[in-house]
Amino acid sequence: MTKRKIIKTNRGDLDYSRKTLIMGILNLTPDSFSDGGKYNDLDSALKRAEEMETAGADIIDIGAESSRPYSERVSAAEEKKRLIPVLKEILKVTTVPISIDSYKSSVMRAALEAGASIVNDISGLRFDEKMAATAAEFEAPVIIMHIQGRPENMQDNPSYQNLIFEVKKYLWDGIKIAKEAGVKDEDIIIDPGIGFGKKQVHNLQILNRLESFKELNYPILIGTSRKSLIKFVNKNEVNERLFGTAATVSTSILKGANIVRVHDVAEIKKVAVMTDAVKWEGNHGR
């Protein structure tokens, strides 16, 4: 019998013991690489949030500042202006936990006060020293991601002496930051940060060796959706990367991912359900 694995949130428990959790992406930005400008008004954002929950999203991840390579930073005030009014309305029409993609503690505090559930920090709690304490104060689960550099420079020839060791070390140090600030062990999630300060060969190596991250003993989130990794392999432009995304998602699940962060919720939900069947029923039977 598989031990029940739970992430507790203010909107209910997320059980990942025999199921991959689907995190749907909702960008409230004018400049995100895939869907910038598509959902940055209230009506379209609400409609998209409802569509994703209906399609099977277990979590909706909302971001109001693009973290694509070479993107420009926005102020905390601007980020809150984009995020908080929409977040409050989305909370009225959805029931699933809402994660907030931000590395600014003042933005995160406002979002958690409004009712958000999960902290998703691309910096692994490094860019703002108050992030970990803010998450701990609200008893919110924290996604600690690896990044080399910052979004505006992370793709300027990233390099590693020992890729997997260095990514794991960064994540482990982030875990220590979280725990020292009072974040509970069961509230920590890790993300090796596909596309964040990595060449495409690095991304492929991480996916190939994802099982090694299980040694850290925390749920693993993977975000490959529509990323340039797929163009690197399949030569697909951004609106043609569904099949490549599906392949990376299935691979990630079989190698240990517990949460997948995706744009195409309905389609990837089917991929995840099928892959989960192979992973769990194929190994253990009924």
Side-chain angles (χ1 to χ4, degrees):
M1 190 74 174
T2 303
K3 184 179 178 182
R4 201 157 179 247
K5 298 177 180 179
I6 299 292
I7 300 166
K8 292 185 176 295
T9 83
N10 61 353
R11 300 193 107 193
D13 294 351
L14 296 166
D15 186 343
Y16 62 95
S17 55
R18 288 175 65 93
K19 169 191 171 182
T20 301
L21 301 174
I22 306 294
M23 173 184 279
I25 300 167
L26 180 59
N27 289 316
L28 310 179
T29 54
D31 57 342
S32 291
F33 81 95
S34 172
D35 54 3
K38 199 170 180 182
Y39 305 116
N40 61 346
D41 68 86
L42 179 59
D43 289 344
S44 60
L46 289 176
K47 182 180 178 184
R48 184 60 183 153
E50 291 179 286
E51 286 174 351
M52 288 195 292
E53 180 168 6
T54 299
D58 300 288
I59 307 163
I60 295 173
D61 188 53
I62 306 177
E65 178 184 31
S66 175
S67 56
R68 64 176 173 77
Y70 307 110
S71 55
E72 295 184 8
R73 301 303 87 211
V74 302
S75 68
E78 175 63 23
E79 193 175 348
K80 284 188 277 191
K81 181 180 174 183
R82 294 176 183 179
L83 172 66
I84 301 304
V86 178
L87 169 63
K88 288 178 177 178
E89 295 305 312
I90 285 174
L91 287 165
K92 294 175 184 177
V93 299
T94 61
T95 61
V96 298
I98 305 296
S99 66
I100 303 300
D101 181 359
S102 180
Y103 55 82
K104 301 184 184 84
S105 62
S106 63
V107 174
M108 196 59 67
R109 174 174 294 278
L112 292 169
E113 286 174 347
S117 303
I118 299 170
V119 173
N120 184 9
D121 185 349
I122 64 164
S123 81
L125 306 175
R126 305 310 206 278
F127 293 173
D128 183 334
E129 62 182 15
K130 296 179 181 178
M131 277 292 280
T134 301
E137 178 184 338
F138 286 86
E139 299 185 335
V142 180
I143 300 164
I144 297 170
M145 196 191 83
H146 172 272
I147 187 172
Q148 186 181 96
R150 300 177 75 97
E152 56 266 36
N153 60 27
M154 65 188 180
Q155 292 309 113
D156 291 343
N157 196 34
S159 61
Y160 299 86
Q161 294 297 313
N162 184 326
L163 172 69
I164 302 301
F165 173 81
E166 290 173 49
V167 174
K168 286 168 75 172
K169 173 72 163 53
Y170 186 96
L171 294 173
W172 185 248
D173 289 346
I175 291 163
K176 289 198 292 184
I177 291 169
K179 293 173 76 170
E180 285 170 3
V183 176
K184 290 182 283 191
D185 203 53
E186 60 267 29
D187 285 339
I188 294 172
I189 300 159
I190 58 172
D191 176 355
I194 296 296
F196 285 84
K198 288 139 187 114
K199 296 178 180 177
Q200 302 304 357
V201 66
H202 298 144
N203 294 321
L204 292 169
Q205 289 170 353
I206 287 169
L207 292 177
N208 181 262
R209 296 184 58 190
L210 192 62
E211 287 165 310
S212 69
F213 290 89
K214 293 169 72 174
E215 295 170 3
L216 297 175
N217 205 29
Y218 293 95
I220 299 169
L221 183 149
I222 283 288
T224 57
S225 185
R226 302 182 185 174
K227 288 187 176 176
S228 59
L229 165 66
I230 297 158
K231 181 177 182 178
F232 173 73
V233 175
N234 281 348
K235 316 305 179 192
N236 297 137
E237 294 305 321
V238 69
N239 61 344
E240 299 174 336
R241 297 178 188 170
L242 176 59
F243 292 134
T245 297
T248 58
V249 164
S250 189
T251 298
S252 298
I253 293 169
L254 290 174
K255 287 183 172 286
N258 306 107
I259 308 168
V260 291
R261 183 177 181 274
V262 298
H263 298 85
D264 303 290
V265 171
E267 294 86 349
I268 299 302
K269 177 75 173 182
K270 295 175 183 177
V271 173
V273 168
M274 189 69 237
T275 309
D276 284 344
V278 174
K279 181 176 181 176
W280 295 111
E281 305 305 336
N283 282 339
H284 306 296
R286 288 190 180 275

